Amino acid sequence: MNLSSSLLSSISSVRTKISTPKMTKTPSENDVGVGGGVGGGGSVIRKNQFRGSLFKYGSKSIQVAFKTGDFRRQVIFIGGLTDGFLATEYLEPLSVALDNEKWSLVQFLLSSSYIGYGTSSLKQDAAELDQLISYLINKEDSEGVVLVGHSTGCQIIVHYMGTNAACSRAVRGVVLQVVLSYLSSHSSRMISEGRGTDLMPREADPGAPITAYRYHSLCAYMGDDDMFSSDLSDDQLRMRLGHMSTTPCQVIFSMADEFVPEYVDKKALVERLCRALGGAEKVEIEWGNHSLSNRVKEVVQAMISFIKTEGPKGWDDPWS
């Protein structure tokens, strides 16, 4: 299957630069879209302009993070394929809302960000996420984090929580927006021939170089990234997601996701996913598209409600 007709070439990302805090006009609520907090000492100055701190969390040049708000509790946003900073439209109002709840928002770059996904892996993503959380613990005196995954960022979270890394104990909750997977026989053949690290033909994904392993992981039935597909059985879903049952989890499902085939029963799928996750909180966003750009207010309210309900006072001290 050619990825140009599937997920990899279809997902677009917002690659807006984080601007220097320089005011050129008086901001209004409409600059943010939801809530207030613009101007003054807020984290969002105006549309596509954040105030915060940029820092390195690892030794690689790509390992850069941006934090709005100066609080000891952090929400870490993990985008999908091709994503980087400001990947979704709801990040601005989410940052403002988190300010009001005394939480920081952290956006960060992985080796797999932008077009790097084709030569990366879930294992590498998880290791870099662990480095970021370690930085927040050791340098920012973090009291705990909530992980928010958009699209294939969800797979990174699920994989990371299954590693039982020391810093994963600081994860106090998880918010997932799920995505499906697809099938490819060409990559399977290359892997069976011991060429998993070789690059696929250019037509497999015109957008970025991609190894046979990564292509297979993203697109094959029961590939490493295949965690939420409707054709997985309940037992297979539990095998892949069951370890999440010990972590408070919210599943946000876009009911009009353009990347979910029409034949998929979305309501049945989200019910099955929540059961496999050990009873996760279900949020169905009616008419919501893949990135929820058309339902920004609803998704922010859902996330904030989850964070407030399942906040640090309601969870065990991760270090006890």
Side-chain angles (χ1 to χ4, degrees):
M1 182 175 183
N2 191 318
L3 281 184
S4 62
S5 63
S6 66
L7 179 65
L8 297 184
S9 62
S10 301
I11 297 179
S12 60
S13 63
V14 179
R15 299 183 181 179
T16 309
K17 293 182 179 179
I18 297 177
S19 305
T20 303
K22 179 181 179 182
M23 296 300 298
T24 58
K25 70 182 182 72
T26 303
S28 67
E29 275 194 21
N30 291 332
D31 287 327
V32 178
V34 177
V38 294
S43 61
V44 176
I45 300 171
R46 54 185 290 192
K47 185 68 175 177
N48 292 335
Q49 289 192 350
F50 282 57
R51 175 188 286 114
S53 58
L54 189 71
F55 60 91
K56 290 269 294 174
Y57 69 91
S59 60
K60 299 177 183 177
S61 59
I62 192 68
Q63 289 182 286
V64 175
F66 183 77
K67 179 170 70 75
T68 57
D70 189 20
F71 306 109
R72 296 176 67 182
R73 299 173 291 178
Q74 299 89 20
V75 168
I76 299 174
F77 175 82
I78 306 168
L81 301 184
T82 76
D83 283 344
F85 290 132
L86 300 186
T88 66
E89 292 188 22
Y90 62 72
L91 286 174
E92 290 180 21
L94 178 61
S95 179
V96 173
L98 289 172
D99 269 352
N100 295 333
E101 302 299 328
K102 309 303 181 186
W103 284 73
S104 290
L105 173 65
V106 178
Q107 303 174 58
F108 73 118
L109 298 182
L110 295 153
S111 296
S112 61
S113 296
Y114 301 124
I115 65 169
Y117 64 85
T119 54
S120 187
S121 65
L122 287 176
K123 181 178 179 181
Q124 181 172 308
D125 290 338
E128 293 181 5
L129 173 57
D130 195 60
Q131 285 181 278
L132 173 63
I133 298 175
S134 176
Y135 178 95
L136 295 174
I137 293 168
N138 294 304
K139 303 296 185 181
E140 303 285 342
D141 296 323
S142 177
E143 295 178 347
V145 302
V146 169
L147 304 180
V148 173
H150 164 64
S151 192
T152 49
C154 298
Q155 280 94 318
I156 297 174
I157 292 174
V158 171
H159 183 84
Y160 174 68
M161 295 305 293
T163 64
N164 292 318
C167 292
S168 67
R169 295 171 58 195
V171 177
R172 300 188 168 213
V174 164
V175 177
L176 302 174
Q177 282 182 260
V178 296
V179 69
L180 306 186
S181 301
Y182 302 84
L183 179 63
S184 165
S185 59
H186 189 175
S187 60
S188 299
R189 184 169 62 254
M190 290 178 66
I191 292 171
S192 68
E193 295 171 353
R195 297 189 293 129
T197 58
D198 288 0
L199 294 178
M200 293 282 289
R202 183 177 179 83
E203 60 266 22
D205 180 15
I210 187 166
T211 64
Y213 161 75
R214 185 60 168 167
Y215 194 102
H216 184 272
S217 175
L218 288 165
C219 303
Y221 173 71
M222 291 296 284
D224 288 348
D225 278 85
D226 189 15
M227 300 179 184
F228 309 109
S229 296
S230 59
D231 55 355
L232 295 179
S233 68
D234 288 344
D235 286 342
Q236 289 171 323
L237 287 175
R238 279 193 296 270
M239 179 180 69
R240 301 217 149 191
L241 305 176
H243 63 276
M244 299 290 293
S245 62
T246 58
T247 304
C249 184
Q250 179 188 66
V251 173
I252 298 179
F253 203 91
S254 304
M255 300 305 288
D257 192 324
E258 58 270 32
F259 299 113
V260 178
E262 292 185 4
Y263 62 80
V264 173
D265 185 335
K266 299 179 181 67
K267 286 186 176 291
L269 175 58
V270 72
E271 288 283 357
R272 294 177 62 220
L273 293 175
C274 288
R275 285 198 302 270
L277 289 160
E281 176 186 313
K282 177 184 66 176
V283 178
E284 297 176 349
I285 305 292
E286 296 296 334
W287 311 113
N289 60 24
H290 181 73
S291 65
L292 291 172
S293 61
N294 62 337
R295 289 293 185 271
V296 167
K297 185 175 181 179
E298 291 176 54
V299 67
V300 171
Q301 289 177 339
M303 289 181 182
I304 292 298
S305 176
F306 173 75
I307 291 169
K308 290 173 66 175
T309 302
E310 303 289 356
K313 292 182 180 179
W315 301 337
D316 293 334
D317 182 344
W319 312 123
S320 64

